[in-house]
Amino acid sequence: MNRTGNGAALCEDPHDFLVMQNLYDAAVRQLTLKFNILNSEFNVLYARNPIHHIDGRVKSQSSIVAKLIKRGLPLSIESARNDIAGVRVVCSYIDDVYRVGEMLARQTDVEIVKKQDYIQTPNYNGYRSLHMDIKVPVYLSDRTEYVVAEIQLRTIAMDFWASLEQDIRYKVDKTKLPEGINEEMFECAGKIAEIDRQMQDMYQRIKASDAYNED
């Protein structure tokens, strides 16, 4: 039986987990390639890259089990399917986030299952990002599997805040956080979002000025 460090089993047969892991890893690699191709094409057409960097991940078995237990769900591959694979796409500007999301959505082999815009409507803690749960085909030797993966599209500024917020809030004992930290984190998110909008505005003004001077 395949067990994690806390003794909980996700699969009866260890080979079943390896098969699942390979499937979701293939989906992440395929999505990463898609974004790299879009970024490369955009550079050829417009002489700039909208994507700063891409991170893909497949959750470890221990992480999957811990989350299922926390949610009170059965420890099975079926219960975990929608929360295993993820790709984070970090863009330079807010407009780029939406542009890249639209380019992905236009691809005929990608199905948008769910979309949440935490940029227009930030999460309760100030978190901002564009989330897309998508379904993408993975072509195996004897069949085609449709895999669900979560896409997170955010700017460099949003990623900066989210990374530090994760480190401060989730990697320490929550009961030991000083009073007012949550409020300060929310306030910082607002300040960073304002800088994000200002940087985009400056970039657009510079681009418009260059275009005007070339005429």
Side-chain angles (χ1 to χ4, degrees):
M1 186 176 288
N2 199 12
R3 294 186 177 276
T4 63
N6 60 13
L10 184 64
C11 310
E12 289 292 330
D13 185 346
H15 185 258
D16 289 343
F17 180 77
L18 292 177
V19 170
M20 181 200 72
Q21 192 176 45
N22 179 68
L23 176 64
Y24 281 85
D25 182 65
V28 167
R29 283 186 281 123
Q30 184 169 311
L31 286 166
T32 300
L33 177 60
K34 282 178 175 292
F35 284 117
N36 276 316
I37 290 171
L38 290 172
N39 202 34
S40 176
E41 183 204 15
F42 203 89
N43 183 268
V44 170
L45 295 176
Y46 306 109
R48 62 174 294 264
N49 294 110
I51 298 174
H52 184 267
H53 67 272
I54 306 164
D55 293 318
R57 64 106 177 105
V58 175
K59 280 189 176 179
S60 67
Q61 185 178 193
S62 59
S63 178
I64 295 168
V65 168
K67 195 159 189 179
L68 290 175
I69 291 173
K70 184 178 179 180
R71 293 181 174 180
L73 296 173
L75 298 185
S76 67
I77 292 176
E78 191 59 40
S79 298
R81 285 191 187 278
N82 293 351
D83 192 29
I84 297 174
V87 178
R88 181 181 302 147
V89 182
V90 179
C91 301
S92 299
Y93 302 102
I94 299 168
D95 284 351
D96 290 333
V97 168
Y98 291 108
R99 186 176 291 113
V100 171
E102 289 167 1
M103 288 191 290
L104 178 69
R106 280 197 295 269
Q107 300 198 4
T108 56
D109 63 344
V110 172
E111 177 188 345
I112 308 299
V113 178
K114 183 180 179 182
K115 185 176 178 180
Q116 292 174 290
D117 190 341
Y118 293 115
I119 300 173
Q120 292 296 323
T121 308
N123 206 356
Y124 69 94
N125 60 351
Y127 173 80
R128 288 167 168 81
S129 187
L130 179 64
H131 283 208
M132 300 168 69
D133 289 348
I134 62 97
K135 192 178 287 186
V136 63
V138 174
Y139 302 100
L140 302 172
S141 60
D142 60 349
R143 67 193 188 282
T144 301
E145 291 274 0
Y146 291 86
V147 178
V148 174
E150 182 187 60
I151 310 297
Q152 296 178 356
L153 297 124
R154 57 178 68 155
T155 64
I156 299 168
M158 294 172 197
D159 191 56
F160 160 75
W161 181 90
S163 298
L164 293 184
E165 195 267 354
Q166 177 82 5
D167 188 64
I168 291 171
R169 194 191 300 270
Y170 294 104
K171 295 186 179 179
V172 298
D173 186 344
K174 295 180 181 62
T175 63
K176 296 180 179 178
L177 285 174
E179 186 177 349
I181 285 293
N182 290 335
E183 291 77 11
E184 286 188 56
M185 289 296 297
F186 188 86
E187 184 182 349
C188 284
K191 291 177 180 177
I192 292 171
E194 180 56 37
I195 292 171
D196 216 0
R197 289 188 289 269
Q198 186 177 359
M199 294 297 289
Q200 177 172 273
D201 179 65
M202 286 192 293
Y203 169 73
Q204 290 174 338
R205 282 156 45 206
I206 291 169
K207 188 169 66 170
S209 175
D210 285 345
Y212 176 80
N213 290 331
E214 288 176 2
D215 291 341

